Amino acid sequence: MTTSSSVLEFKSSTFFSPILILYSNDLAAIEQSLQDKINRAPDFFKNSPLIIDLRELNKSGLDISVIEVAGMLRKIGMFPIGVRGGNEQQDKQAHKLSIPVDAGRENDSIVATSAAASRKEIETQALEQDSVENNEIRNPASSASRIASVSTPPEPVRSMLITQPVRSGQRIYARGDLIVMSQVSAGAEIMAEGNIHVYNTLRGRALAGVQGNTTARIFCLDLQAELISISGDYKTSEHLTEQIQKRPVQIYLQDHALIIKEIA
Amino acid sequence: MARIIVVTSGKGGVGKTTTSAAIAMGLAKRGHKTAVIDFDVGLRNLDLIMGCERRVVYDFVNVINGEASLNQALIRDKNCNQLYILPASQTRDKDALTLEGVGRVLEEMSKDFQYIVCDSPAGIEKGAYLALYYADDAFVVTNPEVSSVRDSDRMLGILASKSRRAERNEEPVKEYLLLTRYDPSRVKSGEMLGLDDVQDILSLQLLGIIPESKSVLSASNAGIPVILDEKSEAGQAYEDVVARYLGEDRPLRFIDDKRGFFRKLFGGRS
Ligand SMILES: Nc1ncnc2c1ncn2[C@@H]1O[C@H](COP(=O)(O)OP(=O)(O)OP(=O)(O)O)[C@@H](O)[C@H]1O
Ligand SMILES: [Mg+2]
């Protein structure tokens, strides 16, 4: 017998998706630019879900049709799953395509102009880098705009504690600090908006301060990482010298350079 | 209730089917009613290794689709009456298996069997996912080389996040390491990773080391699980694996390079 309780279940969960921020309404140029990215990392973008962010466009008074953007995205193999920052017309178009509209964040989306400018800077930097991972991190970084307006005090974020091994292919994202007690395998990726502590061997990628916090640090007992990054500045294993491996270290940012210091 | 064991690896050709046949036989020989299921739809070969390929009438997909009953499809092993084989379909493709269908069949089998061994296909796609989803225990079969270790690590991540136990927030799937095709002389010469190197990366409970052995091939050609070849090192190593899985304490064997001494003496390469 099938009772209503066994047919389905609701769970609250978060869904990780890149956000596509448009600065131009030239559809052909957008497609070209995306295609370039896809060519560089086909596996990463194939069938990727995507949220279309129209806030910047509307700020500059540029109009674009959600129907056309969504059509173009689907054509090149991406799945638009949400629209935000659109005007009334664009929201209607999204509804017509059954694409959800995220309207509930108007409050914390107010960003000081200077911050917006620097965000754009970061964005172009990211575009120039070959590393997809950086792009991907950048996208939520530049768009989530957690720099809240004065009227909404920031919600407190607690740190996240992981006690199970983080295996190849797994990703972890912490809104605050991330503390990992077990090993992080090669091919795993751990990210935090705050600091990262790994009380074990770090073989995968670790990205701290992913929303732009340049004071974030990475601490780890045994550094054998594939990549370490703070606020987008990164080093790959190629540039990690042998002598700091297997020693407890801390990593921080100084004038856009990653400093790796043994913890004495 | 049966204990469901998945034999998995990510990488292909590392010895999953050999291991599934051996441990299923080992458990059954000790009197535990055991079934072994081939999840490799389209590439079935568990039935060959079990030597029952000529007795296959119905298969796993037929049972899922309701075209045959479990009793019609299960093949009783010729050497051990506590062991049953559920073969894969050779003519269908992987999409013939569904999560719900697999769950239904496993649930029905659970009433009757003590252990159900699921022989996973290679890869991390649907077939491998279906084989591990309902598991209680996972035997992660790994060869002592970098790509196999990496794939095992990936598989462990999937077990920890995608299995039913993970989804339901139950006690996690119990994970065991089985290092197979271990060749001590090649470990010594640095061509292969040693146990320590592998454990450095995976840090799992080690269930056993199966040496590279010619008897594995002859056993599969004869259609008899290698564990029944009591003279072979691989057979004995699998016997140890089953014993350790059931809680017995057994020292590790077959990890030293016996030929090393002679090689040093004569300076040969062998
Ligand atoms: N310990 C061993 N010594 C020597 N040969 C072995 C050993 N284990 C497995 N083999 C051989 O390796 C090959 C692959 O084994 P098997 O079919 O069990 O692997 P598998 O992981 O099931 O492969 P697939 O991923 O294709 O399903 C076979 O030829 C088998 O005889
Ligand atoms: Mg196989």
Side-chain angles (χ1 to χ4, degrees):
Chain A
M1 234 194 308
T2 322
T3 62
S4 64
S5 61
S6 66
V7 183
L8 53 80
E9 187 181 352
F10 278 110
K11 269 190 181 161
S12 102
S13 154
T14 53
F15 183 83
F16 198 84
S17 155
I19 292 168
L20 177 70
I21 306 167
L22 298 179
Y23 294 115
S24 151
N25 63 351
D26 179 347
L27 205 61
I30 300 170
E31 178 171 352
Q32 181 60 46
S33 160
L34 276 172
Q35 198 64 59
D36 285 350
K37 279 175 191 282
I38 294 174
N39 293 343
R40 260 185 274 160
D43 281 351
F44 182 76
F45 285 111
K46 203 174 120 211
N47 299 337
S48 171
L50 212 58
I51 290 167
I52 307 167
D53 189 323
L54 300 167
R55 202 172 294 145
E56 294 295 326
L57 267 192
N58 284 322
K59 242 190 256 166
S60 349
L62 295 170
D63 195 29
I64 197 165
S65 152
V66 170
I67 297 183
E68 283 174 13
V69 176
M72 181 271 292
L73 290 173
R74 289 186 177 136
K75 192 180 84 196
I76 61 177
M78 294 178 169
F79 294 115
I81 56 161
V83 169
R84 60 150 82 161
N87 57 32
E88 204 176 320
Q89 169 85 15
Q90 288 164 331
D91 288 355
K92 263 194 205 134
Q93 293 169 337
H95 276 299
K96 213 178 274 168
L97 297 173
S98 310
I99 297 177
V101 171
D102 178 16
R105 302 254 182 79
E106 292 311 348
N107 257 345
D108 60 24
S109 65
I110 302 163
V111 184
T113 22
S114 64
S118 69
R119 281 190 301 127
K120 226 172 242 171
E121 237 171 66
I122 293 171
E123 192 73 2
T124 36
Q125 263 176 27
L127 293 181
E128 281 157 18
Q129 285 163 359
D130 263 345
S131 158
V132 195
E133 286 72 15
N134 267 288
N135 279 338
E136 185 207 358
I137 299 315
R138 292 302 192 166
N139 288 338
S142 45
S143 61
S145 38
R146 298 236 162 66
I147 311 163
S149 66
V150 202
S151 57
T152 40
E155 48 183 303
V157 256
R158 281 191 295 159
S159 54
M160 184 191 264
L161 175 69
I162 304 286
T163 55
Q164 296 291 317
V166 188
R167 300 287 185 182
S168 178
Q170 290 188 304
R171 321 171 80 186
I172 289 179
Y173 188 98
R175 290 277 311 277
D177 284 1
L178 176 62
I179 302 163
V180 183
M181 302 303 296
S182 40
Q183 62 180 42
V184 180
S185 293
E189 190 167 72
I190 55 176
M191 297 174 268
E193 294 178 17
N195 305 301
I196 292 179
H197 304 252
V198 180
Y199 295 104
N200 210 308
T201 307
L202 170 60
R203 293 193 176 87
R205 299 161 164 262
L207 302 99
V210 292
Q211 300 283 354
N213 180 359
T214 53
T215 63
R217 293 185 181 211
I218 299 172
F219 304 87
C220 117
L221 279 194
D222 180 6
L223 182 69
Q224 304 180 30
E226 294 171 315
L227 178 143
I228 46 171
S229 159
I230 292 174
S231 181
D233 286 299
Y234 66 93
K235 261 191 180 146
T236 59
S237 57
E238 246 186 331
H239 301 107
L240 298 176
T241 51
E242 285 286 330
Q243 69 227 19
I244 47 141
Q245 296 204 351
K246 311 225 170 201
R247 303 242 180 83
V249 294
Q250 63 162 320
I251 302 156
Y252 56 90
L253 206 54
Q254 210 169 61
D255 302 326
H256 282 283
L258 282 184
I259 312 289
I260 305 173
K261 271 239 171 81
E262 198 178 332
I263 302 172
Chain B
M1 274 304 274
R3 195 91 190 149
I4 299 175
I5 302 170
V6 62
V7 178
T8 187
S9 70
K11 192 170 160 68
V14 296
K16 292 179 294 294
T17 302
T18 304
T19 299
S20 300
I23 60 163
M25 177 60 81
L27 289 165
K29 255 197 338 168
R30 286 164 177 256
H32 304 294
K33 192 171 178 189
T34 302
V36 54
I37 306 178
D38 192 346
F39 274 75
D40 211 344
V41 176
L43 282 173
R44 72 171 211 228
N45 51 43
L46 178 70
D47 49 333
L48 290 173
I49 292 186
M50 301 295 301
C52 66
E53 72 277 9
R54 283 186 298 197
R55 290 194 284 148
V56 174
V57 182
Y58 296 109
D59 57 54
F60 194 14
V61 173
N62 292 136
V63 179
I64 285 181
N65 292 346
E67 295 148 3
S69 71
L70 251 183
N71 280 337
Q72 287 174 303
L74 283 168
I75 303 171
R76 178 181 279 199
D77 184 75
K78 60 187 183 223
N79 294 302
C80 178
N81 63 11
Q82 291 285 59
L83 179 59
Y84 291 78
I85 299 113
L86 185 54
S89 166
Q90 182 72 325
T91 51
R92 313 288 189 102
D93 61 36
K94 291 192 183 69
D95 292 331
L97 297 181
T98 60
L99 193 63
E100 180 272 335
V102 170
R104 213 172 352 100
V105 174
L106 286 177
E107 192 177 316
E108 189 179 344
M109 292 175 76
S110 286
K111 293 176 196 144
D112 210 25
F113 288 95
Q114 278 173 281
Y115 292 99
I116 301 172
V117 178
C118 303
D119 178 19
S120 172
I124 55 171
E125 275 87 44
K126 190 177 170 195
Y129 166 69
L130 293 177
L132 71 79
Y133 183 76
Y134 296 98
D136 300 304
D137 300 321
F139 286 20
V140 180
V141 178
T142 307
N143 290 168
E145 44 156 310
V146 174
S147 62
S148 174
V149 173
R150 175 72 70 92
D151 286 2
S152 294
D153 194 62
R154 183 83 215 267
M155 224 52 231
L156 288 161
I158 295 173
L159 280 162
S161 55
K162 300 260 166 70
S163 62
R164 179 167 69 171
R165 283 176 172 268
E167 269 185 15
R168 292 185 172 178
N169 245 329
E170 294 170 357
E171 196 182 317
V173 176
K174 187 97 193 63
E175 303 155 343
Y176 300 98
L177 173 64
L178 216 74
L179 204 50
T180 61
R181 310 203 66 167
Y182 194 86
D183 185 338
S185 65
R186 297 183 68 191
V187 170
K188 205 166 171 198
S189 71
E191 279 171 77
M192 277 189 164
L193 299 176
L195 173 61
D196 292 346
D197 304 321
V198 176
Q199 280 294 50
D200 211 27
I201 295 170
L202 296 179
S203 38
L204 285 183
Q205 182 174 342
L206 178 70
L207 216 44
I209 295 179
I210 314 297
E212 175 80 19
S213 155
K214 289 205 175 65
S215 55
V216 172
L217 189 59
S218 24
S220 71
N221 285 337
I224 299 166
V226 68
I227 197 169
L228 293 180
D229 182 354
E230 286 162 16
K231 288 204 194 70
S232 79
E233 291 192 343
Q236 293 171 28
Y238 274 120
E239 184 62 43
D240 287 350
V241 164
V242 173
R244 289 192 196 104
Y245 174 67
L246 295 173
E248 280 174 45
D249 222 0
R250 297 244 174 136
L252 275 182
R253 300 194 264 177
F254 316 120
I255 50 170
D256 294 324
D257 184 8
K258 329 177 274 248
R259 288 169 298 182
F261 175 70
F262 291 102
R263 193 181 296 163
K264 241 179 259 154
L265 214 57
F266 301 111
R269 295 246 171 89
S270 103

